[in-house]
Amino acid sequence: MDVIVNGGVEAVRLLLSGDHELWQVIWLSLRVSLTATFLSLLIGSPLGAMLALRPFRGRGVAVSLVNTGMGLPPVVVGLFVTILLWRNGPLGEMRLLYTPNAMIIAQCVIAVPIVTGLTLAALQSLNPKLRLQLQALGATRVQMVWLLVQEARLPLLAAVMAGFGAVISEIGASMMVGGNIQGQTRVLTTATVMETSKGNFSLAMALSLILLALMVLVNSVLTWVQQRQRPL
Amino acid sequence: MKISARNQLKGTVVEVNHGAVNSEIVVELPGGAHLVSIITKTSAEDLGLAPGKAVYAVIKASNVMLATE
Amino acid sequence: MGAILQIRNLAIQRGERTVLLVNDLAVERGEVLAIIGPNGAGKSTLLLALALLLPPTSGAIWFDGALVTSQSNLTALRRRMAMVLQEPLLLDKTVVDNVALGLSLRGVGRAERERRAAVWLDRLGIAHLARRQARALSGGEAQRTSLARALALEPEVLFLDEPFSALDAPTRAGLVEQVAEIVRETGLTTVMVTHDRDEALALGDRVGVIMGGQLLQAGTPEEVFTTPVNAEVAQFVGVETVAPGHVIAQDGGLAAVQVSGFVVEAVSDAPLGQAVLACVRPEDVTILPDVGRGLTSARNVLRGRVTRLRPAGAQVRVTVDCGFPVTALITRRSAQELDLAVDQSVSASFKASAVHLILRAG
């Protein structure tokens, strides 16, 4: 119990003392994971919309691929992204390995299937006749998709939350492609692992609590947006 | 009387209750059974229905329900 | 003027199965065409094809005189139509935003949108709900919103796909009457699908019967209901005496209806001058030898000539031409005792309470 209490005290002390390194870690975690979530939304929601709304050959296979992708182990993603970005690898020229951008790429790969799958589910949960009604009302294809997305906005926000939750808390990929370099690619999860292995339980606990607090904060904002228009 | 209805039961009017549009006529059949008919008030007047008047109750076979105990 | 929509040799297939096959059908400007048929007969499929929402497997559709092809701008054509389905299918917005939705898709400015939405919200009696969220509406209110949304578009053709069938009976009766009135006043060309005969009779200028994916008959309600083309249609519509007329007298619930040369009396509150269809079930009609009236309490005794005798199981269907066809279903034995034969003069008799009046617009 002491560890938890001390962790809490330590967390508050570190935050209040304006510990430069800590704030850098927090800021990087947020920057990497929010960017990755945003990019995966840009890629995943149109993909999900396409899978939900446009029948094509091989759609079934695509959907099951997406569903499998929703549970991609971060370590596997980390491995593949590392191989891709390795100095002699296909994208080695870009010198991305062990940079925050590499972490964004890896987290994106993790989040895209989640956002795609949940977008697909959100649009499929709408009454299929709604599409017919919108077409009958004179909607163009683009107008229809836009209205359907608006209509599914609540489950879509859930997709955003799930995507963000998955990437900010993953460690395997960030560790492998980021390298946990102090001041450059150290994020909350990798720092926690490191402090734990060093036996600094209080500091590790402080980092974990800050991570939890961050997740609560971001999800509260999204939940507030989501629930604002719902009647009780 | 010649009419396509299969059932033509001769009886005597025992009761006439006029409503706004319709009249309820109770006819007593020879065995003592009572039969109720709802017809328009105009028809009841046209036929001069009053207690004691001999009438036929005419019922189409397809309109007779049967029940067992 | 001419037809606004016309189809020729239209076929729609689902997989190997042909679900709809209509050789020839035209929707005339200003008419109300009611399509009836049992569930799964292909009514809604036909409606979707006419509304250009379901591409036919083969065949041709003309809208406003122009052949619709794969090069046609379907969205532009659909924007001249409107549709109300069985479910209201409203978006998660306010009522007024829903009603204005089609206009907003057409790029109509906000002020004009709201003005037109307000007109139709008012017309459908839901103006007080304008700022309410659509999801908080009752079934009847939601369907009124859906109707207002379609009518606000001032379409050239209105499609109605069983718009009343999910509503409870009182709500439905009120709405059917209101829609009939709106359609009559605006002269809006309307194609409606229903499985309810009374709705078809109340609204339709013409009735089309679809069974098994085929349009078996199309004509005035009187034609379709009194002279069905075959046994299938007859069984579905239930061969009846259906005669158009006007109420010429109303005496505290007893209406006198002028039907061709005769006056038919009916227990009904229909007001003086009201156009009606008088319907009588054949089970309620008795046949008498040709005599004057006064013998029975039945208010209606119409003299005519037997035109048709058709056995129907243990019974016989007798059609008597009384200026309009009256059909009676009597037992075989009665037919024998009365010596019924074609061309014989008889009287058809039915009680005033057996006459069902369907109120008609116009």
Side-chain angles (χ1 to χ4, degrees), chain C residues 206-288:
Chain C
R206 278 198 308 146
V207 173
V209 184
I210 285 202
M211 299 182 92
Q214 305 216 25
L215 182 69
L216 296 180
Q217 190 170 9
T220 63
E222 301 89 85
E223 267 166 39
V224 172
F225 282 85
T226 58
T227 53
V229 285
N230 62 24
E232 246 181 317
V233 176
Q235 204 188 5
F236 178 69
V237 301
V239 187
E240 287 201 8
T241 298
V242 178
H246 281 85
V247 176
I248 54 167
Q250 172 56 255
D251 182 13
L254 187 63
V257 180
Q258 178 81 49
V259 179
S260 54
F262 288 90
V263 174
V264 171
E265 290 186 37
V267 175
S268 160
D269 292 324
L272 202 60
Q274 170 76 48
V276 293
L277 287 175
C279 306
V280 188
R281 285 155 41 91
E283 292 84 350
D284 292 331
V285 180
T286 49
I287 300 291
L288 300 90

Side-chain angles (χ1 to χ4, degrees), chain A residues 86-113:
Chain A
W86 199 253
R87 215 170 283 275
N88 307 326
L91 302 177
E93 292 292 305
M94 299 169 76
R95 302 256 181 264
L96 284 174
L97 202 56
Y98 305 129
T99 66
N101 285 342
M103 296 163 78
I104 290 174
I105 292 172
Q107 295 197 352
C108 222
V109 173
I110 293 167
V112 163

Side-chain angles (χ1 to χ4, degrees), chain B residues 3 11 31 41 46:
Chain B
I3 185 164
K41 190 177 168 192
D46 287 356

Side-chain angles (χ1 to χ4, degrees), chain B residues 1-6 21-22 38-40 42-43 46-47 60-63, chain C residues 252 254 282-283 285-287 289 294 297 299 329-331 333-334 337-338 351:
Chain B
M1 185 172 59
K2 270 207 145 184
I3 185 164
S4 68
R6 302 299 307 154
V21 180
N22 287 323
I38 309 261
I39 61 176
T40 56
T42 328
S43 285
D46 287 356
L47 293 174
K60 285 191 65 153
S62 56
N63 287 344
Chain C
L254 187 63
E283 292 84 350
V285 180
T286 49
I287 300 291
S297 66
R299 298 302 303 160
L329 197 58
I330 63 175
T331 59
R333 198 180 297 200
S334 288
E337 283 177 13
L338 289 169
K351 297 181 66 161

Side-chain angles (χ1 to χ4, degrees), chain C residues 309-323:
Chain C
L309 289 167
R310 273 170 304 160
Q315 309 195 84
V316 181
R317 217 177 263 286
V318 184
T319 306
V320 181
D321 179 9
C322 304

